[in-house]
Amino acid sequence: MSGPGTVLVERYRLEERLSGPDPLRGSLWRAVDVMAGDLPVAMRQLQLPAAKARFKGVWPQLQSLLHPQLPRCRELLEVDGDLWLLRDWQDGVSYDDLLRQKRFRAADVLTLLRQILPVLELLHGGGLVHGDVNPRHLMSRRSDGLPVLLDGGRLQRQGATEKTEGWGDLHDLGHTALMLLSGSASHEEGWPEGLELDSGFRQVLERLLSDQPEHSFGQASEVLQALESVVLPASEPDPDLTVAPRARRARDREQGAEGRLWPVVGALALSALVGSAIGWFVLKRTSPAAPALDRVVQQPAVSVPSAELDQRQQLFSRLRALQVNRGWFLQLVDASQRSARSLEDGAIRGVWTDLAEEWLPRIEQLPPTIRGRLGRLSNGDWEQPRVALVQQGIHPNVVEQLVSAGSKALLPEFMQGRKPAEPFRQLWIAAAMQSLDGVEIVRLKTRPQEPINTSLRIPAGGVRLVLVEVPEGDVLALGIDGTPFMQMLVFGSNGQVVVERGPLRVVRIAAEAGSPLQVLVTNEGVSSSAFTVSCQADPIDQ
């Protein structure tokens, strides 16, 4: 018998039963994917033959539907006679819970309808009916505040000739809107007493609530069209739905920079220049002996602990073993630490050495043929692979982004995304040479209403480039799934960014983006991992 702690197919560990068991809907579990770093997933367990047959029939269609507000349906498993349905986990708050916490304004509900109706339109267009639209199965996603439509366990196919069966979902959506507006999850049929709305908005809701399909809306697109004419007075945004997600995103960006060396380097701005004096005293620069002795006579003697001298001797032994130009390396560390209060400050000498120790592991990542040329590299060294990629149809903006992704392991965070000045530019050029050498391009050609799924691997710290051809005038539904350490970025055919860099997710890309779309996927993890790409071209009128 399945319970918390059970591991299915040596991969998915059940954590908590969220609902059920129910004869028709089964049980819904929160689980984790142990092969993806305990990534949360949702799993529905079905035991009755009728329920299993129903979901086996609709699951392939659900897998082909890609929308940012519809959780991605993954694999279907059969274990010990039970059917398990796997989908992406959604982190957020159900509208059922929100209903207990706040009163929804008309503007909130109008926005919700306009945001969730395209999801129902996609579902109905795929021949499916949700069957249980209500506040429990609508979630406000924590990351962006968008509403997400969750599977309530009653999904089914529409009849072959009855395309109006989606009317029931629209009717339920109308009741959901009234629940939110009235502040009650158990309101009776009819218009809530005392609820006043703009006349246009009220007409749309009353038509949604009609018990006669012929008098209601037949399709979600008709509701969206009717709502276009509804204009509500401007009001201040609801802090519960908008400000909090933005604040969280700002906090996440700040936290994402923690634990790195380079914010510390920036904080060292309060120190004074250390370059030449420390360079002479400890690093034996090539200055003439007599003038150097004069300077020593004029200054107090500096006592350097023998342990520190040993540490620096080891540092320069590593430099020689790596065949790195010593003069350029001294400039690199000096440029990283431009300040020191006085030569006698042992803490400042320690900072210099610490920075040098931080740079060496980065430089060690480079191939010996590139390491030996640091200090002598020029723009011409990466021009040839850049031109070769452009000739293959890769936009120059994408090429530069490939270089930026490759330079992450070499350069501090504040220098990423641009060409830094010397001596740091040497590492940027080295990253360009390494990143563009042998770039593997995967090309996918989409056709209308024909989903494509493919799996690819990406090395640790690496980047993959996927070109997706889209028929002219079609919208592209694109979904990428992998580990939490991966990021995606999508460029249009003219090199414009059409999907900002962020976690792997499902997006819909307008026809104006052109073709081919150029998709970059980066892996910031410590091991090679697989990711999947799912895409489908949809005619613009779908």
Side-chain angles (χ1 to χ4, degrees), residues 327-343:
W328 170 80
F329 183 78
L330 295 177
Q331 294 175 18
L332 177 72
V333 182
D334 284 351
S336 301
Q337 201 281 84
R338 284 291 187 196
S339 55
R341 286 186 297 273
S342 67
L343 184 62

Side-chain angles (χ1 to χ4, degrees), residues 44 103 112 186 241 254 258 283 327 357 363 409 513:
R44 186 174 294 279
R103 183 70 174 266
L112 170 64
S186 58
L241 298 181
E254 293 171 359
E258 293 180 2
L283 306 177
E357 292 282 2
I363 295 171

Side-chain angles (χ1 to χ4, degrees), residues 211-264:
D211 292 327
Q212 300 176 334
E214 62 273 16
H215 295 152
S216 183
F217 294 98
Q219 298 179 2
S221 58
E222 296 177 5
V223 190
L224 281 169
Q225 186 175 0
L227 290 175
E228 287 179 1
S229 61
V230 176
V231 179
L232 294 178
S235 59
E236 187 173 347
D238 184 346
D240 288 335
L241 298 181
T242 59
V243 175
R246 291 175 186 170
R248 281 191 293 271
R249 289 197 293 270
R251 180 200 62 199
D252 292 343
R253 287 195 296 270
E254 293 171 359
Q255 292 178 344
E258 293 180 2
R260 296 181 181 269
L261 164 71
W262 305 108
V264 177

Side-chain angles (χ1 to χ4, degrees), residues 236-300:
E236 187 173 347
D238 184 346
D240 288 335
L241 298 181
T242 59
V243 175
R246 291 175 186 170
R248 281 191 293 271
R249 289 197 293 270
R251 180 200 62 199
D252 292 343
R253 287 195 296 270
E254 293 171 359
Q255 292 178 344
E258 293 180 2
R260 296 181 181 269
L261 164 71
W262 305 108
V264 177
V265 175
L268 292 174
L270 55 93
S271 309
L273 180 65
V274 73
S276 59
I278 290 182
W280 171 84
F281 182 75
V282 181
L283 306 177
K284 303 180 181 178
R285 295 184 186 251
T286 57
S287 305
L293 288 172
D294 289 342
R295 285 195 293 273
V296 171
V297 170
Q298 296 168 3
Q299 298 181 12

Side-chain angles (χ1 to χ4, degrees), residues 16 23 33 47 98 103 167 293 328 371 382 421 444 499 526:
E16 178 186 5
D33 184 346
Q47 297 176 310
L98 289 174
R103 183 70 174 266
W167 162 82
L293 288 172
W328 170 80
R371 280 201 309 258
W382 75 286
L444 302 177
V499 176
V526 296

Side-chain angles (χ1 to χ4, degrees), residues 346-407:
I348 294 172
R349 294 197 310 270
V351 166
W352 197 100
T353 306
D354 290 343
L355 289 175
E357 292 282 2
E358 289 285 349
W359 275 116
L360 277 179
R362 295 168 179 262
I363 295 171
E364 284 175 337
Q365 301 177 45
L366 294 170
T369 53
I370 297 180
R371 280 201 309 258
R373 297 176 60 191
L374 289 172
R376 296 180 288 111
L377 296 174
S378 66
N379 287 331
D381 289 308
W382 75 286
E383 183 66 17
Q384 184 175 350
R386 185 193 75 83
V387 171
L389 286 174
V390 172
Q391 290 175 345
Q392 295 181 64
I394 310 303
H395 195 278
N397 292 352
V398 180
V399 176
E400 292 239 355
Q401 188 61 39
L402 279 169
V403 176
S404 296
S407 67

